[in-house]
Amino acid sequence: PPELIPEEDRVVKHVLDCLVPYSTTTGGGPLVVNHVTCFPGRGNLIVEYPGTEPGKILSFVGMHMDVVTANPNDWDFDPFSLSIDGDKLRGRGTTDCLGHVALVTELMRKLGERKPKLKSTVVAVFIANEENSAITGVGVDALVKDGLLDKLKGGPLFWIDTADKQPCIGTGGMIPWKLHVTGKLFHSGLAHKAINPLELGMEALKEIQLRFYKDFPPHPNEQVYGFATPSTMKPTQWSYPGGGINQIPGECTLSGDVRLTPFYNVKDVMEKLQEYVDDINENIDELDTQGPVSKYILHDENLRGSLTLTFDEAMSGVACDLDSRGFHVLCKATEEAVGYVKPYSITGTLPLIRELQVRYISFSSSCSSDLLSI
């Protein structure tokens, strides 16, 4: 989105075809099926298998029915049709996350068909709109807002997304940032009359990074959770308005992100970054310069270079409850199925997981980039 809008109901139709025959809708079974649509063609599906003890519950959430875009020229096989290669089913979305949609659908179908007596109610939540954040109010955020997941707080919640053999027990927060640098445009042959925003941006970012890593060093819990990296703050893009090679531009923008382990608070980091920028602006003449005529203040013209920091929507990371029953059961099952268990964490970011954990307190997960027991 916004150019391409998924139609998750195309997937919902297949899931319903499989589960409705075993549902209360047709009288053919115990499954309670709720197709929740907040936007035409973009439905979510909540499927419930009732247990025998009120209040006991287990849930699988996050099996999303949208997929990323695909250019057939970049694929070794046709992404838009299903093909078989040995024991692999190949096609766009089979790993992220339609394979999980199929797996959990089969689980719920088997429950509806065989009707085992379980103490816990089992709930599966198939969601729309996981792959993008440009459009909101469509997927799990809408379900949370409308209170449709409130009952899940009574037991372990497993977030099911991309494939891995080991439990993912932590993810990182993300703070997208932009640092706009204002200087003074001038001919590069008269560099003493310019304020070079590229040099100012480089030196300012270096200072911001030094302060960030001092204030948010590797946290002791990162080793406990097996995070591959600590928190990081770095640029990923650089842009400027354009111009000739012999022209020092008047402005530029550095963009990047903070990937934050869940043991630090996103709001605290954003406030600190703003503090850094405010202090650098106030003391801009103390930044290092490059060469004898490089400067960030033109006193005779009463001009100063300046920095403006802005943020896009930030998301928090999550650390799963390592004392939860859901986590211990997941580890035991992994060891039995794979032969060993080695939980891990990454600073990839998932939407709304931390909010679910804070809201529902209890949690458990499974992910390569995305599978979690909160």
Side-chain angles (χ1 to χ4, degrees):
E3 291 81 10
L4 299 173
I5 306 296
E7 295 179 18
E8 289 89 347
D9 276 352
R10 294 171 178 260
V11 179
V12 169
K13 178 183 181 300
H14 292 288
V15 178
L16 289 176
D17 286 346
C18 189
L19 298 183
V20 166
Y22 304 97
S23 73
T24 57
T25 306
T26 61
L31 298 180
V32 180
V33 179
N34 185 11
H35 183 194
V36 182
T37 302
C38 302
F39 192 86
R42 306 203 64 190
N44 304 270
L45 202 58
I46 303 175
V47 183
E48 181 177 322
Y49 179 78
T52 59
E53 292 192 12
K56 285 184 69 67
I57 199 164
L58 166 71
S59 59
F60 300 99
V61 184
M63 301 78 68
H64 61 89
M65 299 174 288
D66 57 333
V67 296
V68 296
T69 56
N71 181 351
N73 296 328
D74 297 334
W75 289 60
D76 296 329
F77 53 88
D78 179 13
F80 299 112
S81 65
L82 187 67
S83 58
I84 300 175
D85 177 23
D87 62 352
K88 296 179 182 178
L89 298 176
R90 307 188 307 180
R92 182 183 61 158
T94 51
T95 299
D96 187 13
C97 173
L98 299 180
H100 292 76
V101 171
L103 176 69
V104 177
T105 299
E106 283 296 297
L107 168 64
M108 300 309 290
R109 185 179 71 83
K110 286 292 185 183
L111 291 176
E113 180 183 27
R114 298 184 180 181
K115 305 181 183 65
K117 289 186 178 181
L118 304 179
K119 293 180 180 179
S120 295
T121 293
V122 180
V123 179
V125 183
F126 304 89
I127 63 172
N129 200 50
E130 193 273 346
E131 292 289 3
N132 104 98
S133 57
I135 299 173
T136 58
V138 176
V140 69
D141 56 332
L143 301 180
V144 170
K145 182 180 177 182
D146 291 343
L148 295 174
L149 304 186
D150 284 355
K151 66 162 59 177
L152 306 186
K153 63 184 178 183
L157 186 157
F158 293 87
W159 185 272
I160 313 291
D161 198 340
T162 61
D164 207 321
K165 290 186 175 69
Q166 296 297 330
C168 176
I169 56 174
T171 63
M174 181 177 69
I175 307 171
W177 55 264
K178 287 184 173 65
L179 185 66
H180 185 74
V181 187
T182 302
K184 183 196 173 186
L185 182 150
F186 218 85
H187 193 284
S188 65
L190 299 167
H192 65 295
K193 291 183 174 293
I195 297 176
N196 191 325
L198 304 176
E199 293 181 348
L200 174 54
M202 288 189 293
E203 293 299 333
L205 181 61
K206 177 182 176 182
E207 180 63 24
I208 291 169
Q209 288 180 300
L210 287 172
R211 297 187 190 190
F212 172 86
Y213 288 114
K214 180 180 179 182
D215 289 338
F216 304 99
H219 194 282
N221 282 343
E222 290 163 11
Q223 288 194 351
V224 175
Y225 278 76
F227 272 92
T229 66
S231 301
T232 59
M233 186 273 175
K234 68 283 181 190
T236 57
Q237 297 176 337
W238 196 320
S239 63
Y240 81 111
I245 196 73
N246 63 346
Q247 185 180 71
I248 296 173
E251 60 182 311
C252 69
T253 301
L254 291 82
S255 303
D257 68 14
V258 173
R259 294 289 177 153
L260 194 68
T261 59
F263 316 111
Y264 291 113
N265 184 280
V266 164
K267 184 179 177 182
D268 292 344
V269 173
M270 294 170 72
E271 290 176 353
K272 274 292 185 182
L273 292 175
Q274 188 61 59
E275 282 181 22
Y276 304 158
V277 171
D278 291 343
D279 182 63
I280 292 171
N281 275 328
E282 189 174 338
N283 302 283
I284 206 160
D285 55 331
E286 295 181 10
L287 282 179
D288 287 341
T289 54
Q290 303 299 322
V293 299
S294 177
K295 60 180 74 69
Y296 309 130
I297 300 177
L298 297 175
H299 293 284
D300 56 340
E301 299 183 45
N302 197 28
L303 288 177
R304 296 171 63 95
S306 64
L307 311 169
T308 303
L309 181 66
T310 57
F311 300 103
D312 290 333
E313 184 178 1
M315 291 186 284
S316 297
V318 64
C320 297
D321 181 1
L322 302 188
D323 294 324
S324 71
R325 181 166 177 260
F327 171 69
H328 292 297
V329 169
L330 179 61
C331 286
K332 182 180 179 182
T334 302
E335 187 170 21
E336 290 177 358
V338 181
Y340 71 99
V341 60
K342 187 178 181 181
Y344 73 99
S345 301
I346 54 174
T347 51
T349 303
L350 292 172
L352 284 172
I353 304 297
R354 178 65 171 269
E355 287 76 3
L356 284 171
Q357 187 185 46
V358 170
R359 182 172 177 135
Y360 300 142
I361 307 301
S362 151
F363 266 74
S364 277
S365 154
S366 264
C367 113
S368 117
S369 328
D370 295 71
L371 184 70
L372 211 69
S373 167
I374 340 181

Short mmCIF file of all heavy atoms in Angstrom, two decimals, residues 15 63 97-107 126:
data_model
loop_
_atom_site.label_atom_id
_atom_site.label_comp_id
_atom_site.label_asym_id
_atom_site.label_seq_id
_atom_site.Cartn_x
_atom_site.Cartn_y
_atom_site.Cartn_z
N VAL A 15 -9.97 -20.66 4.04
CA VAL A 15 -10.00 -21.09 5.44
C VAL A 15 -11.43 -21.42 5.86
O VAL A 15 -11.68 -22.43 6.53
CB VAL A 15 -9.38 -20.01 6.35
CG1 VAL A 15 -9.46 -20.44 7.82
CG2 VAL A 15 -7.92 -19.74 5.97
N MET A 63 -1.15 -15.13 12.44
CA MET A 63 -1.05 -15.75 11.12
C MET A 63 -1.68 -14.79 10.11
O MET A 63 -2.89 -14.71 10.00
CB MET A 63 -1.78 -17.10 11.09
CG MET A 63 -1.28 -18.13 12.09
SD MET A 63 -1.86 -17.83 13.79
CE MET A 63 -3.61 -18.17 13.61
N CYS A 97 3.08 -15.50 5.20
CA CYS A 97 2.92 -16.39 6.36
C CYS A 97 1.83 -17.41 6.07
O CYS A 97 1.23 -17.97 6.95
CB CYS A 97 2.56 -15.50 7.54
SG CYS A 97 2.11 -16.24 9.10
N LEU A 98 1.58 -17.66 4.76
CA LEU A 98 0.44 -18.50 4.39
C LEU A 98 0.63 -19.96 4.77
O LEU A 98 -0.34 -20.69 4.99
CB LEU A 98 0.15 -18.37 2.89
CG LEU A 98 -0.22 -16.95 2.44
CD1 LEU A 98 -0.49 -16.91 0.94
CD2 LEU A 98 -1.41 -16.44 3.21
N GLY A 99 1.89 -20.40 4.89
CA GLY A 99 2.13 -21.75 5.39
C GLY A 99 1.62 -21.90 6.81
O GLY A 99 1.06 -22.94 7.19
N HIS A 100 1.79 -20.86 7.62
CA HIS A 100 1.29 -20.89 9.00
C HIS A 100 -0.23 -20.81 9.03
O HIS A 100 -0.88 -21.41 9.88
CB HIS A 100 1.90 -19.75 9.79
CG HIS A 100 3.37 -19.90 10.03
ND1 HIS A 100 4.30 -19.66 9.05
CD2 HIS A 100 4.07 -20.29 11.12
CE1 HIS A 100 5.51 -19.88 9.54
NE2 HIS A 100 5.40 -20.27 10.79
N VAL A 101 -0.79 -20.04 8.09
CA VAL A 101 -2.25 -19.98 7.97
C VAL A 101 -2.79 -21.40 7.72
O VAL A 101 -3.74 -21.85 8.36
CB VAL A 101 -2.68 -19.02 6.85
CG1 VAL A 101 -4.19 -19.14 6.58
CG2 VAL A 101 -2.32 -17.58 7.20
N ALA A 102 -2.15 -22.10 6.78
CA ALA A 102 -2.59 -23.47 6.45
C ALA A 102 -2.40 -24.41 7.63
O ALA A 102 -3.28 -25.23 7.95
CB ALA A 102 -1.82 -23.98 5.23
N LEU A 103 -1.27 -24.29 8.31
CA LEU A 103 -0.97 -25.17 9.44
C LEU A 103 -1.99 -25.02 10.56
O LEU A 103 -2.53 -26.01 11.07
CB LEU A 103 0.44 -24.87 9.97
CG LEU A 103 0.88 -25.63 11.22
CD1 LEU A 103 1.07 -27.10 10.90
CD2 LEU A 103 2.15 -25.03 11.78
N VAL A 104 -2.27 -23.78 10.95
CA VAL A 104 -3.20 -23.55 12.05
C VAL A 104 -4.63 -23.86 11.63
O VAL A 104 -5.44 -24.32 12.44
CB VAL A 104 -3.05 -22.11 12.59
CG1 VAL A 104 -4.07 -21.83 13.70
CG2 VAL A 104 -1.64 -21.88 13.12
N THR A 105 -4.94 -23.63 10.35
CA THR A 105 -6.25 -24.04 9.84
C THR A 105 -6.44 -25.54 10.00
O THR A 105 -7.50 -26.02 10.45
CB THR A 105 -6.41 -23.65 8.35
OG1 THR A 105 -6.32 -22.23 8.22
CG2 THR A 105 -7.75 -24.11 7.80
N GLU A 106 -5.41 -26.32 9.64
CA GLU A 106 -5.49 -27.78 9.79
C GLU A 106 -5.63 -28.19 11.26
O GLU A 106 -6.36 -29.13 11.59
CB GLU A 106 -4.25 -28.43 9.17
CG GLU A 106 -4.29 -28.48 7.66
CD GLU A 106 -5.43 -29.36 7.17
OE1 GLU A 106 -5.44 -30.57 7.45
OE2 GLU A 106 -6.35 -28.81 6.52
N LEU A 107 -4.93 -27.47 12.14
CA LEU A 107 -5.06 -27.75 13.57
C LEU A 107 -6.50 -27.56 14.03
O LEU A 107 -7.09 -28.43 14.70
CB LEU A 107 -4.13 -26.83 14.38
CG LEU A 107 -4.36 -26.82 15.90
CD1 LEU A 107 -4.06 -28.17 16.51
CD2 LEU A 107 -3.53 -25.72 16.55
N PHE A 126 -6.53 -15.28 12.73
CA PHE A 126 -5.90 -15.01 11.43
C PHE A 126 -6.11 -13.53 11.12
O PHE A 126 -7.25 -13.05 11.17
CB PHE A 126 -6.54 -15.87 10.34
CG PHE A 126 -6.52 -17.35 10.62
CD1 PHE A 126 -7.55 -17.97 11.33
CD2 PHE A 126 -5.47 -18.14 10.17
CE1 PHE A 126 -7.53 -19.33 11.58
CE2 PHE A 126 -5.44 -19.51 10.41
CZ PHE A 126 -6.48 -20.10 11.12
#
